[in-house]
């Protein structure tokens, strides 16, 4: 009864999503031929400086005149388009506000680049130049990485099922001051490209509608991608999971005609001394099951965003050359109601022997992750990091603006917080008070999967702690940040839909660069 599974196998990520090309050029900003040239303008500088000043001079003061006429204040994200009418080879100038100079961070740079590219697409500029503002506190390599991330992620649209009605930026030229800087910037382009393309890979998976992405398809994509980039990949089907005693994961899958899968991907470089397990919630559709949801159902294709982030991260590791062995484990399943479905009151035994009373079938993520975490722990990794769109509680706490991190190992949490900060992904720790576990006990099983209402994110997390076998573990509840409902967010490089949250944090963490960038 899988008559609605499409036979076509679209590629991941979609070609359009990553079609922007980059070059680093030694051209002077006033000499670059392009459809639009982006120049950054700080909020608090009385006169234009750097590239903006040179362009203004070549334009005979036109830029500063128009900026003054329009009362352009340089606020972060503000833009102004000035036509050059042939006075310089660039056909338009896109002035972009950088905010106050004193608070300029890597993320301001990332946002400014995204704003330029979005504005360029709107005015149908295909060839875009970016004249980097002079920011002595940021090295050229990391600033370039941030600009490339901002450009690709800002230009991103999910176009597999819809024709584009705005312009498309095809080429971005970043201007370098000298050959030494050019070399560093080229390294930044490669890294930015890698981080952004991986994020796009996750976004595409999250945006893919659930009829096109059942668990079996997700596993196929993982297998194909792993082959392409040279990773090991194995997929456990229902019988393989039964043999391992994964009754918890299997129970959640019972209601759907689409069978569950456990996807295992491995990156194993020669010199690795450590193994890190990344575990992802891959609920390809979460209806709530018998505890059927009454709202947000149209978002629930995004309930595999944790799994998407894990797969997207893994596929980038060979190119990144990360120095650590990484094991990716994704529990892929659909949560639907039917005559076969798991019922409130059912008791299941996870593969580590612990029993769980399923008192709410909509708290399915922690149940499938119980088996996925126990499986990962059995491989004896040095650390386990899971990503899951686990709770509405985390959304209530943070709006769409930050994900929650919880765990049993404070240093691991600190390292993840630092990596997230570096990557421009907001992450905030919540405390796992022991009393939360008391609330997750069942009178007739070791645990119940749903506690009482308040502290929901922590109760979900502490439930999962019971399955990591005491290993250092951190859980990222990415329900707030995985999917943006409408253009509620004001971040120009995070458009509506799947965000790819977590990928750049994990790549930063695994590359071990969080203290150098
Ligand atoms: N996938 C949802 C969490 C979610 C909700 C993500 C809204 C994104 C937006 C999860 O499976 C769920 O339903 N959690 C329940 C748990 C509760 C029943 C204990 C929740 O948070 O309401
Ligand atoms: Mn649910
Ligand atoms: Zn869910």
């Amino acid at each position: 009864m899988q008559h609605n599974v499409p036979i076509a196998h679209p590629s991941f990520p979609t070609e359009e999503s990553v079609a922007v090309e980059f070059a680093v050029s030694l051209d002077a900003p006033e000499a670059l031929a392009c459809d639009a040239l982006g120049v950054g303008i700080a909020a608090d500088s009385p006169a234009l400086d750097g590239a903006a000043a040179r362009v203004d001079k070549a334009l005979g003061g036109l830029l500063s005149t128009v900026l003054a006429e329009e009362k352009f204040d340089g606020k972060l994200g503000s833009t102004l388009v000035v036509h050059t009418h042939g006075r310089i080879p660039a056909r338009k100038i896109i002035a972009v506000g950088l905010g106050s100079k004193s608070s300029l961070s890597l993320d301001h740079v990332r946002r400014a680049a995204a704003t330029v590219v979005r504005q360029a697409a709107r005015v149908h500029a295909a060839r875009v130049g970016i004249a980097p503002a002079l920011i002595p506190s940021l090295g050229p390599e990391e600033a370039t990485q941030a600009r490339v991330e901002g450009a690709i992620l800002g230009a991103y649209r999910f176009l597999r099922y819809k024709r584009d009605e705005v312009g498309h930026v095809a080429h971005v030229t970043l201007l370098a001051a000298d050959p030494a800087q050019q070399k560093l910037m080229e390294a930044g382009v490669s890294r930015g490209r890698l981080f952004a393309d991986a994020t796009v890979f996750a976004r595409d998976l999250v945006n893919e509608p659930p009829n096109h992405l059942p668990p079996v398809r997700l596993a196929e994509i993982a297998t194909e991608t792993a082959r392409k980039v040279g990773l090991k990949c194995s997929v456990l089907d229902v019988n393989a999971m039964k043999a391992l005693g994964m009754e918890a994961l299997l129970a959640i899958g019972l209601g759907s005609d689409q069978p569950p899968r456990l996807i295992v991907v491995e990156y194993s470089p020669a010199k690795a001394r450590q193994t890190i397990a990344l575990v992802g919630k891959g609920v390809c559709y979460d209806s709530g099951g018998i505890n059927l949801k009454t709202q947000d159902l149209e978002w629930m294709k995004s309930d595999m965003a944790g799994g998407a982030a894990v797969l997207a991260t893994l596929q980038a590791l060979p190119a990144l050359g990360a120095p650590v062995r990484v094991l990716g484990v994704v529990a892929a399943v659909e949560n639907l109601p039917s005559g076969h479905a798991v019922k409130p009151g059912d008791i299941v035994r996870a593969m580590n022997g612990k029993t769980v009373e399923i008192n709410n079938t909509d708290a399915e993520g922690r149940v499938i992750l119980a088996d996925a975490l126990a499986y990962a722990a059995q491989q004896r990794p040095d650390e386990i990091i899971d990503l899951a769109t686990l709770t509405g509680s985390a959304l209530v706490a943070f709006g769409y603006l930050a994900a929650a991190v919880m765990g049993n190992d404070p240093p691991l949490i600190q390292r993840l917080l630092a990596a997230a900060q570096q990557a421009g992904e907001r992450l905030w720790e919540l405390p796992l008070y022991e009393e939360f576990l008391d609330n997750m006990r069942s009178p007739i099983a070791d645990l119940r999967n749903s506690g009482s209402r308040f502290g929901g994110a922590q109760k979900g997390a502490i439930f999962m702690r019971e399955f990591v076998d005491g290993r250092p573990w951190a859980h990222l509840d990415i329900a707030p940040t995985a999917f943006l409902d409408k253009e509620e967010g004001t971040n120009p490089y995070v458009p509506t839909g799947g965000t790819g949250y977590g990928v750049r944090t994990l790549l930063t963490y695994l590359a071990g660069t969080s203290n150098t960038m």
Side-chain angles (χ1 to χ4, degrees):
M1 284 233 281
Q2 296 179 29
H3 53 271
N4 68 338
V5 184
I7 300 147
H9 281 202
S11 65
F12 278 88
T14 46
E15 277 147 38
E16 297 90 337
S17 310
V18 289
V20 192
E21 280 178 14
F22 291 87
V24 181
S25 157
L26 287 167
D27 280 343
E30 67 276 18
L32 181 73
C34 58
D35 298 318
L37 176 67
V39 297
I41 298 189
D44 39 18
S45 62
L48 297 181
D49 59 8
R54 293 180 64 160
V55 167
D56 188 45
K57 193 167 167 224
L59 288 172
L62 176 68
L63 180 59
S64 49
T65 305
V66 176
L67 288 172
E69 275 171 10
E70 297 295 325
K71 297 194 167 55
F72 188 82
D73 59 3
K75 205 178 124 210
L76 182 64
S78 57
T79 58
L80 186 64
V81 180
V82 179
H83 293 246
T84 63
H85 298 294
R87 291 189 219 191
I88 61 171
R91 299 175 63 179
K92 295 177 182 108
I93 303 297
I94 299 176
V96 57
L98 297 173
S100 161
K101 239 185 196 163
S102 57
S103 63
L104 251 174
S105 71
L106 218 45
D107 204 50
H108 288 73
V109 170
R110 208 180 267 116
R111 286 176 192 235
T115 302
V116 166
V117 167
R118 282 168 80 126
Q119 188 64 37
R122 244 172 259 138
V123 298
H124 293 274
R127 293 170 312 139
V128 175
I130 293 183
L134 305 169
I135 309 165
S137 59
L138 304 177
E141 184 173 347
E142 56 258 39
T144 302
Q145 179 186 344
R147 286 190 177 99
V148 170
E149 288 173 3
I152 295 175
L153 298 176
Y156 176 82
R157 305 184 67 226
F158 183 62
L159 297 173
R160 209 199 290 287
Y161 303 97
K162 188 181 198 288
R163 245 174 254 297
D164 209 357
E165 73 277 353
V166 301
H168 180 71
V169 172
H171 200 91
V172 174
T173 302
L174 297 150
L175 298 180
D178 56 60
Q181 195 185 66
Q182 185 179 28
K183 261 223 132 60
L184 292 169
M185 288 176 64
E186 273 161 2
V189 168
S190 308
R191 206 174 161 91
R193 168 107 258 167
L194 188 70
F195 278 47
D197 286 357
T199 306
V200 163
F201 183 93
R203 284 183 182 180
D204 276 353
L205 284 174
V206 173
N207 286 330
E208 193 70 8
N211 60 327
H212 290 263
L213 195 60
V216 169
R217 248 319 268 157
L218 188 64
E220 283 170 6
I221 292 164
T223 307
E224 283 165 28
T225 308
R227 185 174 39 76
K228 240 193 279 173
V229 302
L231 298 168
K232 277 186 240 164
C233 178
S234 53
V235 175
L236 276 60
D237 63 10
V238 170
N239 283 329
M241 288 189 271
K242 268 188 192 155
L244 290 173
M246 296 186 169
E247 226 178 74
L249 195 161
L250 289 168
I252 299 301
L254 286 173
S256 174
D257 290 344
Q258 302 288 349
R261 291 288 184 264
L262 190 80
I263 305 166
V264 184
V265 189
E266 185 186 335
Y267 166 72
S268 195
K271 53 203 182 277
R273 280 178 290 116
Q274 266 207 102
T275 297
I276 297 179
L278 302 179
V279 178
K281 172 176 174 182
V283 175
C284 293
Y285 189 71
D286 180 14
S287 71
I290 298 294
N291 292 95
L292 191 62
K293 285 181 186 297
T294 53
Q295 52 183 16
D296 303 339
L297 279 150
E298 75 279 13
W299 299 0
M300 283 303 145
K301 66 173 184 180
S302 69
D303 215 19
M304 35 60 74
V310 168
L311 296 178
T313 300
L314 260 295
Q315 61 83 40
L317 293 180
L320 184 65
V324 50
R325 181 168 168 260
V326 183
L327 196 66
V329 180
V330 176
V333 61
E334 274 187 356
N335 185 23
L336 289 177
S338 84
H340 301 287
V342 69
K343 305 171 291 298
D346 285 355
I347 293 179
V348 296
R349 187 183 299 275
M351 85 176 268
N352 72 346
K354 293 193 180 171
T355 54
V356 178
E357 180 186 5
I358 310 241
N359 60 327
N360 188 328
T361 64
D362 199 12
E364 83 296 341
R366 62 201 69 181
V367 179
I368 65 167
L369 287 171
D371 275 330
L373 288 166
Y375 179 88
Q378 207 178 58
Q379 317 296 310
R380 313 187 136 271
D382 299 284
E383 292 172 356
I384 304 175
I385 302 167
D386 81 71
L387 287 88
T389 47
L390 206 78
T391 68
S393 284
L395 259 163
V396 170
F398 294 118
Y400 293 95
L401 294 179
V405 59
M406 290 152 272
N408 60 4
D409 191 74
L412 170 59
I413 290 174
Q414 288 310 314
R415 291 195 296 277
L416 286 170
L417 289 169
Q421 155 87 33
Q422 185 67 35
E425 296 187 317
R426 286 197 178 112
L427 186 64
W428 202 264
E429 186 183 2
L430 295 177
L432 276 193
Y433 301 124
E434 288 304 319
E435 290 92 325
F436 286 128
L437 187 59
D438 302 335
N439 193 253
M440 298 307 292
R441 302 207 189 275
S442 158
I444 54 168
D446 295 327
L447 295 159
R448 57 176 180 171
N449 74 326
S450 171
S452 52
R453 184 170 163 211
F454 299 115
Q458 294 100 310
K459 287 171 181 171
I462 212 156
F463 173 95
M464 295 199 295
R465 198 186 64 182
E466 295 299 294
F467 299 89
V468 300
D469 198 22
R471 293 192 173 266
W473 155 79
H475 156 64
L476 273 64
D477 190 336
I478 62 170
T481 51
F483 193 84
L484 200 58
D485 179 28
K486 36 191 170 294
E487 302 257 3
E488 160 149 19
T490 52
N491 188 333
Y493 66 82
V494 185
T496 304
T499 63
Y501 180 95
V503 174
R504 286 179 297 116
T505 294
L506 289 176
L507 288 176
T508 304
Y509 181 64
L510 295 171
T513 55
S514 55
N515 47 358
T516 62
M517 279 171 45

